[in-house]
Amino acid sequence: MSATVSQAPLRVLSVIPPMTQLNTPYPSTAYLTGFLRSRGVDAVQEDLALALVLRLLSRGGLLEIRKRIEAHPPKQLTEPVQSFMAQFDRYVATIDRVIAFLQGRDATLAHRINSRAFLPEGPRFRTLDVYVDEDGGDPLAWAFGALGLQDKARHLATLYLNDLADVLRDAVDPRFEFVRYAESLATSQPTFEPLAAALAAAPNLMDEVLTELTRAAVERHRPRLVLLSVPFPGAVYAAFRIAQAVKAVDPTIVVALGGGFVNTELRELAEPRVFDHIDYVTLDSGERPLLALLEHLNGKRSRQRLVRTFVRDADTGLVRYINFVEPDVPFAEVGTPTWDGLPLDKYLSLLDMLNPMNRLWSDGRWNKLTVAHGCYWKKCSFCDVSLDYISRYETATAETLVDRIEAIVAETGQTGFHFVDEAAPPKALKTLAAELQRRDVQISWWGNIRFEKTFTPELCQELADSGCIAMSGGLEVASDRLLTLMKKGVSVDQVARVTKGFSDAGILVHAYLMYGFPTQTVQDTVDALEYVRQLFEHGCIQSGFFHRFACTVHSPVGLNPAEYGVKLRPLPPVTFAQNDVGFIDPTGTDHDALGVGLKKALYNYMHGIGLDEDVRAWFGHLKGKVPKTSVGRNRIGKALAQAR
């Protein structure tokens, strides 16, 4: 397999593989393309994730899906597929119009969608049964209100697409999901075997369409180097399928793999078969490795001087890691992301969950930008603080950031920004807000922070005045003992005061919540839920999400388990992916059972339901007695009073 380029101009094509997001481009290719162009490189980009979905969810795509289904014996048809076939004519008649509506090109269709007579309804619409209207009217009225015409229609249209996604999963590819496509083939897979078997299998309709789209992109751009940016395990399989298609078109095209998944899970890569499809695999921030690779491909640098790059040795057939040490490109010099070449008018504004913060991730197109590289705190014991994307902290001036913001607004015509930092530093946000106001730059923005005391009510108001609409941050276990063990650097009382300051400034607050942390007991969990109840009750937070703690090999817990009172389960020999690691917690708490109650409680709290109830009511499904909370009924109220 060739790994050198011809004398043709070295054009670089960066690709977003399926699946990532449908409402906005995943930003990695925008960063890479902007950086490469700032260095004079001919760089272009494609979002094949969006292209695949738009091809399948079209009139022609549905006709092709039906052909595949008709080849199935009737006894194999699942309920979603049966519903699809029974209402096929209605799906074909509505699909293109629904896509246009979700792309913002046919807003008046909302009236017909809301009639509940326009769209065919499959099993996903049963979720509407959870909405109870005591007056016997519209069951969604309480959620969207009288003025929520567009929101309600987007929610119904999203259920319609989810029904079709279930059909794709059941009739075309059992691994398909929006966002998480064939995720199990890559997540913490110690060997390449499952992925190799999938890649060797006969292509299904999904593979055929993706291959066709890849061939068209290669013919359109004629690149000499293709960069596959893989942020999540759910984009790995498709990335390799794309690489197969690229090599089938022209085996001299060089293919490189990088991105968040690679940086996290492939650090111990030793599997030669990866390089049957990929020429180079790079780690961590891509700018410096890319510059070195481009010099190598242009004959100006030997392979021995590549930076943070895995290759397959031509003589031994073994994987080698080459890292000629050079300083990374400073964050202030990485250039401005560009979305040039991406079809910004084709993304789908979905409304899957009624959680007000979750909808920001799926509803509307956001320009994604980073305030600083890495995390200024980098101590949290559950986080991958040993990896570059966390550990190497760098900033740029507020003037540079606002220059980038103005350039992006000029290019895209859109003023919504999602700052994608692990934890945006308060000092940088303060200077950014001041610079935005000094220049009178009008944007709407949101991001993620640590709820630290630096965020005073005055600073919260400054951020709101500059366009901040929402903030998310980690409250995690809502237990001072466990927050200390986590090295989170905050207390529950402090979080209450900070979040109240944001809320009072009119900024939506979302709390990341965690359960199942080492040594967490049932009592800890009940107390944590009581804290959360009081935070909702006092208007400190409006949104939240409980997720189960997972131990990773790069986190302090994974690196030093004894400090957290747990023992790690042995890992198998690894030649491919490594991330999650099981552990034994001597407390023996049944966190899965507790999680059911936590999530049910949170869902209700976000809708103002059950805030007066004893938190033990949410754990009625558990066997045995649930302890009474040890948290005072007015603990958060007292914490807020102390701040006045």
Side-chain angles (χ1 to χ4, degrees):
M1 196 169 78
S2 173
T4 58
V5 299
S6 68
Q7 295 305 307
L10 207 163
R11 169 172 284 185
V12 179
L13 169 61
S14 296
V15 175
I16 303 172
M19 295 296 296
T20 52
Q21 288 179 265
L22 296 178
N23 66 304
T24 195
Y26 192 78
S28 56
T29 64
Y31 292 163
L32 292 172
T33 304
F35 168 72
L36 291 172
R37 289 184 181 180
S38 74
R39 297 300 177 105
V41 177
D42 182 7
V44 292
Q45 57 188 325
E46 287 272 351
D47 188 344
L48 293 187
L50 179 68
L52 177 67
V53 168
L54 293 182
R55 178 67 65 85
L56 291 168
L57 299 185
S58 66
R59 182 182 179 88
L62 297 190
L63 289 168
E64 189 60 41
I65 292 168
R66 183 176 67 171
K67 288 182 184 178
R68 305 299 170 109
I69 293 172
E70 288 173 341
H72 287 221
K75 64 181 180 180
Q76 295 185 3
L77 298 185
T78 63
E79 183 187 5
V81 177
Q82 290 176 7
S83 175
F84 172 73
M85 294 297 284
Q87 303 183 86
F88 180 75
D89 290 344
R90 293 183 66 196
Y91 276 108
V92 168
T94 55
I95 183 62
D96 290 340
R97 298 284 16 112
V98 170
I99 293 297
F101 168 73
L102 290 173
Q103 290 172 334
R105 297 186 289 113
D106 195 358
T108 58
L109 192 68
H111 296 275
R112 295 201 67 191
I113 292 174
N114 288 341
S115 72
R116 300 290 297 277
F118 177 68
L119 298 181
E121 296 187 359
R124 289 285 188 147
F125 281 77
R126 289 182 191 146
T127 60
L128 299 179
D129 295 339
V130 303
Y131 308 132
V132 178
D133 183 359
E134 296 178 354
D135 298 326
D138 181 357
L140 287 180
W142 71 272
F144 296 104
L147 300 179
L149 174 74
Q150 294 294 320
D151 282 356
K152 179 182 172 183
R154 276 206 299 278
H155 185 55
L156 293 170
T158 302
L159 293 176
Y160 167 96
L161 291 194
N162 286 338
D163 271 327
L164 291 174
D166 291 342
V167 173
L168 286 169
R169 181 198 64 220
D170 293 347
V172 176
D173 190 336
R175 302 160 303 197
F176 181 78
E177 288 184 66
F178 288 146
V179 183
R180 298 180 177 88
Y181 180 25
E183 184 179 55
S184 63
L185 294 177
T187 303
S188 298
Q189 279 285 0
T191 78
F192 190 64
E193 197 58 45
L195 198 52
L199 293 169
N204 58 38
L205 176 61
M206 205 85 63
D207 301 321
E208 292 170 4
V209 173
L210 184 57
T211 296
E212 177 190 339
L213 292 169
T214 302
R215 286 177 173 272
V218 170
E219 290 298 324
R220 185 160 53 249
H221 298 294
R222 299 191 178 276
R224 302 313 308 159
L225 171 62
V226 172
L227 306 178
L228 297 173
S229 181
V230 181
F232 315 117
V236 174
Y237 168 73
F240 276 84
R241 278 291 190 188
I242 290 169
Q244 280 184 329
V246 169
K247 292 295 184 181
V249 173
D250 182 352
T252 69
I253 296 175
V254 179
V255 180
L257 184 72
F261 168 81
V262 176
N263 301 338
T264 303
E265 301 210 22
L266 298 191
R267 305 192 78 85
E268 307 299 324
L269 181 63
E271 174 54 74
R273 288 178 293 176
V274 167
F275 297 89
D276 292 341
H277 313 278
I278 307 292
D279 297 293
Y280 301 94
V281 178
T282 68
L283 291 183
D284 300 327
S285 294
E287 291 87 3
R288 182 58 67 191
L290 267 179
L291 292 179
L293 178 58
L294 289 169
E295 288 185 5
H296 170 59
L297 297 178
N298 283 320
K300 298 178 181 179
R301 178 186 287 245
S302 68
R303 195 158 90 151
Q304 288 68 37
R305 295 180 68 242
L306 291 174
V307 177
R308 296 196 301 270
T309 302
F310 289 102
V311 299
R312 182 167 61 185
D313 189 281
D315 296 324
T316 66
L318 301 177
V319 177
R320 289 180 55 203
Y321 180 61
I322 304 172
N323 186 16
F324 184 78
V325 179
E326 291 183 352
D328 274 295
V329 176
F331 178 67
E333 299 175 15
V334 296
T336 301
T338 178
W339 282 264
D340 179 48
L342 297 178
L344 299 185
D345 59 337
K346 296 292 196 296
Y347 287 87
L348 306 175
S349 188
L350 305 176
L351 186 47
D352 198 359
M353 299 176 66
L354 302 186
N355 177 312
M357 179 60 85
N358 279 88
R359 68 175 295 177
L360 290 179
W361 276 289
S362 63
D363 182 12
R365 205 202 72 74
W366 299 92
N367 299 310
K368 294 182 181 283
L369 194 63
T370 308
V371 175
H373 181 282
C375 178
Y376 67 99
W377 180 250
K378 54 189 173 189
K379 295 179 183 178
C380 298
S381 57
F382 54 83
C383 192
D384 291 340
V385 296
S386 63
L387 300 184
D388 175 79
Y389 81 98
I390 297 289
S391 63
R392 181 168 60 86
Y393 175 63
E394 289 186 56
T395 61
T397 66
E399 291 78 9
T400 296
L401 291 173
V402 178
D403 285 347
R404 292 173 181 173
I405 287 169
E406 290 190 308
I408 291 167
V409 171
E411 177 186 277
T412 67
Q414 295 172 320
T415 60
F417 283 80
H418 175 198
F419 296 141
V420 294
D421 301 70
E422 296 301 313
K427 183 178 179 180
L429 289 180
K430 180 179 177 65
T431 58
L432 174 62
E435 184 66 12
L436 286 169
Q437 291 185 277
R438 187 185 71 80
R439 297 197 202 179
D440 197 24
V441 175
Q442 302 297 324
I443 65 170
S444 301
W445 62 270
W446 56 289
N448 190 61
I449 59 168
R450 290 177 61 249
F451 292 132
E452 61 167 77
K453 61 184 179 183
T454 311
F455 288 106
T456 62
E458 292 75 21
L459 178 54
C460 293
Q461 189 60 56
E462 289 178 44
L463 301 183
D465 292 342
S466 74
C468 180
I469 59 170
M471 278 294 191
S472 61
L475 175 54
E476 317 309 348
V477 290
S479 158
D480 285 335
R481 178 183 75 84
L482 292 174
L483 285 171
T484 299
L485 184 61
M486 286 181 171
K487 299 182 175 65
K488 187 70 183 175
V490 299
S491 67
V492 175
D493 288 1
Q494 178 180 310
V495 169
R497 290 189 283 267
V498 170
T499 54
K500 183 62 171 172
F502 278 112
S503 294
D504 287 347
I507 296 171
L508 174 74
V509 182
H510 174 88
Y512 288 112
L513 300 160
M514 182 186 295
Y515 65 101
F517 192 75
T519 73
Q520 185 173 0
T521 64
V522 175
Q523 184 70 64
D524 289 327
T525 305
V526 171
D527 289 349
L529 185 56
E530 174 61 19
Y531 279 126
V532 171
R533 184 196 69 78
Q534 292 186 30
L535 288 170
F536 274 100
E537 181 182 41
H538 287 277
C540 298
I541 61 177
Q542 295 76 45
S543 173
F545 183 78
F546 269 109
H547 65 94
R548 176 72 182 270
F549 168 76
C551 181
T552 67
V553 295
H554 308 295
S555 69
V557 176
L559 294 171
N560 304 292
E563 293 183 15
Y564 301 90
V566 297
K567 293 183 179 180
L568 300 185
R569 298 186 185 278
L571 285 169
V574 173
T575 56
F576 187 56
Q578 181 186 65
N579 191 36
D580 292 355
V581 55
F583 64 93
I584 301 170
D585 188 336
T587 58
T589 307
D590 187 350
H591 295 295
D592 287 335
L594 289 167
V596 173
L598 292 172
K599 293 175 181 178
K600 186 177 180 180
L602 195 61
Y603 180 87
N604 282 273
Y605 290 166
M606 285 190 292
H607 295 101
I609 300 171
L611 289 172
D612 295 328
E613 294 186 21
D614 188 315
V615 293
R616 288 176 292 180
W618 303 109
F619 303 110
H621 61 288
L622 297 182
K623 295 179 180 179
K625 186 177 180 181
V626 177
K628 181 180 180 180
T629 180
S630 64
V631 178
R633 189 76 178 174
N634 196 32
R635 169 66 183 275
I636 296 301
K638 290 178 180 178
L640 296 175
Q642 292 171 3
R644 296 190 182 101

